[in-house]
Amino acid sequence: MRLLLTPFVLIGFLAAATPFLTGCSDYGYLESVTVAGSTTILPIAEVAAEKFVQSTPDASVLVSGMGSSAGIEAVSTGTADIGTSSRHLRPNESHDLVDIPIAYDGIAVIVNLSNPIDELTTEQLRDIYGGAITNWREVGGDDIPIDLINRDEASGTRDAFTEAVMDDTPFDVGAVILPGTGQVREVVTRSAGAIGYISVGFVSPRFGTNPVKALVIDGVDPTRENVGNGVYPISRTLHFFTLGEPDGLTKRYIEYVLSDAVQFGAVVDAGYIPVTWRGEE
């Protein structure tokens, strides 16, 4: 666990089994907001929290990255004030949650830099993740096995990828399952035959020690413009969920996240598309 304490903000990565820090009296704060869920949204929520508390005396914002499903569960049960998710709600999840879109994102398909493949179709990608294609030579690459990297079932990124790509085709059970974006990226940098998928915001080398290559899908690059215009085929909305209409400090924090300061600051810096984006580069 990494726990950063500053005069007015508490930000931590908390394991799913670890209780949230819900009271603030022990730390001397009068108000607190807990934000839990998607690792994809974590960079936005963290930066926004740090800046928000600078102008909000006697308040704390606690941010954790536990996965979209855990975030939705936390806000549904009142364990968190805000659940962050990189996927839509499922039919069996609470209908009392208020959905607040905070950014748009594309999912980049990544391979090792040594891989000569630059482009795949959605159909080829589906066959790869379904186990019908198991060697890179089958799609014009080198004669090496495909090392398939997938996300765990709690991942909102996996849900969005499933919806956009798999078309009811089941995933190959032989895939390596990893819990987070950073792990997927790091494994792909180390394995010449690996393929994975991550948010376009994490393709940049600043999120890892080694670069990866994002593939063109169906002839479209995973750029900000293509995601924002809905042209790139693997795109999604990033969500804040609250149990009922937000109020108090929770509402003020959400309003700050939706402000230009964050939308054209932390959101853009993380590689995502502001909800107010109008196609400007």
Side-chain angles (χ1 to χ4, degrees), residues 220-245:
V220 183
D221 285 304
T223 64
R224 185 175 75 168
E225 181 177 11
N226 290 336
V227 172
N229 289 335
V231 177
Y232 183 67
I234 316 176
S235 302
R236 59 180 170 173
T237 301
L238 304 182
H239 309 264
F240 275 5
F241 289 110
T242 60
L243 187 59
E245 292 293 337

Side-chain angles (χ1 to χ4, degrees), residues 108-112 129 147-152 155 157 176-191 194-199 202 212:
V109 179
I110 58 170
V111 296
N112 189 276
Y129 269 89
D147 295 328
L148 198 57
I149 311 300
N150 205 350
R151 292 291 305 275
D152 61 83
S155 164
T157 305
V176 173
I177 305 297
L178 296 176
T181 297
Q183 293 96 324
V184 173
R185 190 182 189 285
E186 198 61 29
V187 169
V188 172
T189 68
R190 297 172 184 271
S191 172
I195 184 171
Y197 55 88
I198 61 176
S199 166
F202 286 86
V212 292

Side-chain angles (χ1 to χ4, degrees), residues 1-280:
M1 180 177 73
R2 176 172 67 88
L3 186 61
L4 170 63
L5 284 81
T6 68
F8 300 110
V9 64
L10 294 163
I11 297 176
F13 291 99
L14 306 179
T18 303
F20 289 107
L21 304 175
T22 52
C24 58
S25 58
D26 290 343
Y27 298 96
Y29 301 117
L30 299 180
E31 294 184 276
S32 66
V33 176
T34 55
V35 184
S38 169
T39 58
T40 296
I41 298 175
L42 192 63
I44 300 172
E46 282 190 313
V47 171
E50 291 182 64
K51 294 184 180 299
F52 176 73
V53 297
Q54 290 174 6
S55 59
T56 311
D58 301 323
S60 68
V61 180
L62 297 82
V63 180
S64 63
M66 304 158 54
S68 296
S69 295
I72 292 170
E73 174 68 17
V75 72
S76 298
T77 58
T79 312
D81 300 300
I82 299 171
T84 63
S85 177
S86 55
R87 63 169 174 82
H88 297 295
L89 290 175
R90 295 169 179 162
N92 64 333
E93 291 172 329
S94 175
H95 296 290
D96 297 324
L97 297 182
V98 175
D99 183 1
I100 304 162
I102 59 105
Y104 302 114
D105 181 32
I107 298 174
V109 179
I110 58 170
V111 296
N112 189 276
L113 280 185
S114 67
N115 194 324
I117 294 295
D118 295 315
E119 179 174 357
L120 291 172
T121 66
T122 300
E123 183 177 359
Q124 288 173 323
L125 191 56
R126 183 183 307 122
D127 286 344
I128 288 171
Y129 269 89
I133 294 176
T134 60
N135 192 295
W136 283 110
R137 71 171 181 269
E138 298 176 67
V139 290
D142 295 334
D143 184 10
I144 58 173
I146 294 174
D147 295 328
L148 198 57
I149 311 300
N150 205 350
R151 292 291 305 275
D152 61 83
E153 292 185 358
S155 164
T157 305
R158 172 169 167 154
D159 267 26
F161 184 87
T162 302
E163 182 177 345
V165 174
M166 297 307 291
D167 193 26
D168 296 327
T169 299
F171 283 113
D172 184 349
V173 297
V176 173
I177 305 297
L178 296 176
T181 297
Q183 293 96 324
V184 173
R185 190 182 189 285
E186 198 61 29
V187 169
V188 172
T189 68
R190 297 172 184 271
S191 172
I195 184 171
Y197 55 88
I198 61 176
S199 166
V200 295
F202 286 86
V203 174
S204 169
R206 66 195 172 99
F207 289 106
T209 57
N210 299 304
V212 292
K213 177 165 59 174
L215 299 181
V216 174
I217 303 297
D218 293 338
V220 183
D221 285 304
T223 64
R224 185 175 75 168
E225 181 177 11
N226 290 336
V227 172
N229 289 335
V231 177
Y232 183 67
I234 316 176
S235 302
R236 59 180 170 173
T237 301
L238 304 182
H239 309 264
F240 275 5
F241 289 110
T242 60
L243 187 59
E245 292 293 337
D247 58 13
L249 190 66
T250 298
K251 181 179 179 180
R252 290 166 58 196
Y253 172 71
I254 293 171
E255 288 174 343
Y256 181 67
V257 170
L258 295 175
S259 71
D260 284 353
V262 174
Q263 289 291 303
F264 294 94
V267 170
V268 171
D269 290 344
Y272 305 134
I273 315 300
V275 290
T276 53
W277 189 77
R278 294 294 182 268
E280 302 91 342

